[in-house]
Amino acid sequence: MDYLIDTMDNKYEQLETIGRGNFGEVYKCRDREKNTFASMKRILFRYQDDGVPGSVIRGVALLKELDHPNIISLLDVLDDEKWVDLVFEYLEMDLWRFMGTYPRIGKDPNLTKSFLYQILSDSYRILHRNLKPRNIMVDVDKKIVKIADYGLARPVDAPVAFTYQVLSPGYKAPELLIDAKYSTPVDIWSVGCIFAEMVTHHPLFNGQCEHTAIMEMFSLLGVPNVETWPGVTSLGINLSNPEALVSGVRRSLSDVVKGLEPTGIDLLAQMLCLNPCRRITARDALIHAYFRNA
Amino acid sequence: VCLLSKEREAFLGRSDLNSNGSLMVAGTEAIEWMLRVIAHYGFTFMTTLLAVNYFDRFKSSLCLQRENPWMSQSAAVACLSLAAKVEETQVPLLLDLQIRFYIYYFTCNVDESKYLFDAKTTQRMELLVLSTLGWNMNPVTSLSFIDHIIRRLGFKTHLRLEFLQRC
């Protein structure tokens, strides 16, 4: 079976390792022909008896179908007996590092607006569940953001030492934190958190555990009740003593997210609606007044 | 429009297949085997559709060594295994699929067709099928059209699912 011998070593020059996870490793590499960089994610097959893992087959097939300017694209798939290499377009900077590296440009209101629009225009196509600044890549020159959060496309599974960051509930919607049923509104919530962070360059919620995260949400957005969120009482939060669920001084969104124009605050409030059924959809968010003068 | 162009991609090269008699026979045999295994495990209709689709596309897009039943059978195992992994929640091990395969040929007394592939060989074949099909494992099939039409008709989700299950 000569045709199965891989040719990757010729096509791509492997450079440094840029990530490591329980699936395998991520390398930065150079396309010898085009002289461009790419990132290569190597996924090892653990259990030889099962052949190619189903998750890999479905994951790659899904990536193949996605074709959107705001999604990191899959350039190539190379296979070997013991692994597959997924070659993705390479962007050096994620949104988290971008905000740290360019504190001034990063706070430009028009850039924030543009980035938010780009993230929203893609996000309704798929359920991400885990959107956060680290999973959004930035093309600094072109001012384009690309979501790199499609299962296998996730650039770096955080190393074990940082698991707290993966589990950090900072961008997770309330219905995810309380184990309720969830769907695409969870992504709108995360995008809302990212939106606020792009304005202030500080995470909106820092909660280290699910309980403190819920308290932070309720302190900022109010404790939900049967009117604002029908059925909330059956979701396992004890709402009989609302005072116990808030901490610190009550502040409004406009106090916390300083410098955001009023239409932006309105959009943000609709994205951070605790009740997922009343949360704004990506489609509606894209035609919100905030984007009108963009 | 998008569905139509995608369907064309998925079925490219059909005529090629028909023009070669021996390839057809080997193909029919392999598909027959796939159907038996599918029936045995109670796989869904979608799995059948995918397995046959992969097999057809694989045979027509690759210059297989003609008249090589070994290749044809190995491809059938790989295609079925891939389809099951894409579509089913419970997938038997490669070797279990193999044993079905073996028993089928044994009971049919087709002496020359008794091939048993180890997991490693099947995995290689899986990879060959995957790369030949460009990893496009969710092809547009007749079911996609039906689904699209039902969506357009505006049925409720559970009605749609029920309808699809009956297809």
Side-chain angles (χ1 to χ4, degrees):
Chain A
M1 289 207 173
D2 291 344
Y3 42 81
L4 285 181
I5 291 175
D6 70 68
T7 53
M8 87 191 81
D9 292 335
N10 303 324
K11 198 171 173 193
Y12 298 98
E13 179 191 357
Q14 197 171 311
L15 306 169
E16 74 261 26
T17 307
I18 49 179
R20 208 168 265 134
N22 41 15
F23 56 86
E25 289 187 319
V26 186
Y27 311 97
K28 182 178 177 180
C29 58
R30 193 174 64 87
D31 186 326
R32 285 204 169 88
E33 223 170 90
K34 297 182 196 147
N35 200 21
T36 50
F37 290 119
S39 73
M40 182 189 279
K41 186 167 183 172
R42 175 159 297 177
I43 299 170
L44 300 166
F45 305 148
R46 292 277 164 71
Y47 309 103
Q48 293 277 317
D49 284 355
D50 297 347
V52 184
S55 55
V56 174
I57 301 168
R58 287 189 301 268
V60 176
L62 177 68
L63 286 167
K64 276 274 177 177
E65 279 176 45
L66 296 170
D67 180 23
H68 191 280
N70 299 117
I71 295 176
I72 288 283
S73 50
L74 178 63
L75 304 173
D76 215 346
V77 185
L78 308 160
D79 54 72
D80 188 88
E81 259 178 53
K82 296 193 180 73
W83 63 73
V84 285
D85 283 327
L86 307 182
V87 183
F88 293 98
E89 61 181 315
Y90 179 77
L91 288 174
E92 194 125 18
M93 195 65 85
D94 63 45
L95 188 57
W96 184 77
R97 276 182 55 205
F98 176 77
M99 290 188 288
T101 317
Y102 300 99
R104 204 167 297 165
I105 317 172
K107 278 190 180 172
D108 172 9
N110 287 325
L111 190 73
T112 302
K113 198 173 283 192
S114 161
F115 279 6
L116 179 65
Y117 193 88
Q118 293 178 47
I119 297 168
L120 281 170
S121 68
D122 147 71
S123 62
Y124 65 84
R125 294 153 53 101
I126 263 187
L127 182 65
H128 301 271
R129 281 195 304 245
N130 197 22
L131 284 175
K132 53 187 168 189
R134 292 229 90 150
N135 284 340
I136 296 174
M137 308 308 282
V138 181
D139 186 327
V140 182
D141 296 330
K142 294 184 186 151
K143 304 280 186 286
I144 293 176
V145 285
K146 286 170 186 270
I147 296 181
D149 180 53
Y150 292 91
L152 294 174
R154 200 161 294 146
V156 180
D157 286 5
V160 185
F162 291 124
T163 32
Y164 114 81
Q165 227 176 0
V166 187
L167 299 173
S168 160
Y171 305 90
K172 281 196 175 164
E175 66 269 27
L176 267 178
L177 295 177
I178 57 178
D179 279 335
K181 278 189 182 166
Y182 64 88
S183 181
T184 43
V186 297
D187 290 335
I188 294 296
W189 177 279
S190 308
V191 177
C193 297
I194 295 167
F195 179 22
E197 188 167 343
M198 285 198 288
V199 177
T200 62
H201 283 198
H202 287 289
L204 184 60
F205 301 117
N206 300 298
Q208 300 294 308
C209 70
E210 292 174 3
H211 184 70
T212 52
I214 287 275
M215 296 238 309
E216 272 185 80
M217 285 175 191
F218 290 177
S219 307
L220 183 63
L221 305 161
V223 179
N225 55 44
V226 198
E227 261 164 47
T228 59
W229 189 346
V232 69
T233 41
S234 61
L235 293 175
I237 334 170
N238 182 3
L239 295 171
S240 56
N241 182 10
E243 289 306 312
L245 290 167
V246 294
S247 61
V249 191
R250 281 292 303 272
R251 292 176 304 168
S252 68
L253 266 183
S254 48
D255 291 338
V256 178
V257 190
K258 284 205 171 70
L260 182 59
E261 57 193 275
T263 51
I265 292 287
D266 181 69
L267 174 60
L268 181 60
Q270 293 192 51
M271 295 174 88
L272 296 179
C273 176
L274 289 166
N275 178 358
C277 301
R278 296 194 184 156
R279 204 171 294 150
I280 194 167
T281 63
R283 258 168 230 275
D284 289 341
L286 286 169
I287 51 171
H288 188 273
Y290 173 65
F291 293 115
R292 208 159 284 163
N293 50 3
Chain B
V1 183
C2 193
L3 276 179
L4 278 175
S5 66
K6 277 193 178 166
E7 192 200 24
R8 223 164 289 138
E9 261 168 49
F11 283 91
L12 217 67
R14 250 277 164 80
S15 54
D16 211 38
L17 201 67
N18 295 337
S19 63
N20 188 305
S22 67
L23 211 59
M24 268 304 270
V25 174
T28 320
E29 238 173 53
I31 286 173
E32 214 175 296
W33 168 76
M34 288 204 282
L35 292 178
R36 276 171 192 255
V37 178
I38 287 166
H40 174 82
Y41 284 105
F43 288 160
T44 61
F45 178 64
M46 195 59 199
T47 307
T48 320
L49 212 62
L50 286 179
V52 175
N53 175 287
Y54 298 163
F55 189 76
D56 275 2
R57 280 160 67 204
F58 179 69
K59 293 214 82 166
S60 55
S61 57
L62 195 83
C63 302
L64 281 182
Q65 290 100 324
R66 311 253 148 165
E67 293 167 45
N68 185 342
W70 177 89
M71 194 74 167
S72 190
Q73 285 167 31
S74 170
V77 177
C79 287
L80 180 56
S81 150
L82 289 172
K85 284 178 196 169
V86 168
E87 202 52 36
E88 302 290 331
T89 42
Q90 293 263 321
V91 183
L93 286 182
L94 289 178
L95 202 66
D96 292 343
L97 282 177
Q98 295 292 304
I99 289 167
R100 285 284 120 207
F101 182 75
Y102 185 79
I103 291 170
Y104 169 58
Y105 277 102
F106 189 73
T107 51
C108 287
N109 293 319
V110 187
D111 296 335
E112 291 153 50
S113 308
K114 280 184 273 177
Y115 299 106
L116 192 62
F117 311 106
D118 60 13
K120 206 170 164 187
T121 312
T122 307
Q123 182 182 303
R124 280 181 175 188
M125 198 49 155
E126 282 185 342
L127 284 168
L128 180 63
V129 172
L130 285 166
S131 58
T132 308
L133 304 186
W135 291 79
N136 295 313
M137 309 315 276
N138 300 317
V140 170
T141 60
S142 45
L143 265 194
S144 325
F145 284 95
I146 295 172
D147 186 48
H148 184 72
I149 293 163
I150 304 173
R151 269 168 209 266
R152 274 299 164 91
L153 289 174
F155 284 167
K156 294 251 163 57
T157 321
H158 65 277
L159 271 176
R160 208 177 81 226
L161 285 176
E162 197 177 316
F163 190 91
L164 281 179
Q165 268 160 12
R166 288 189 188 180
C167 282

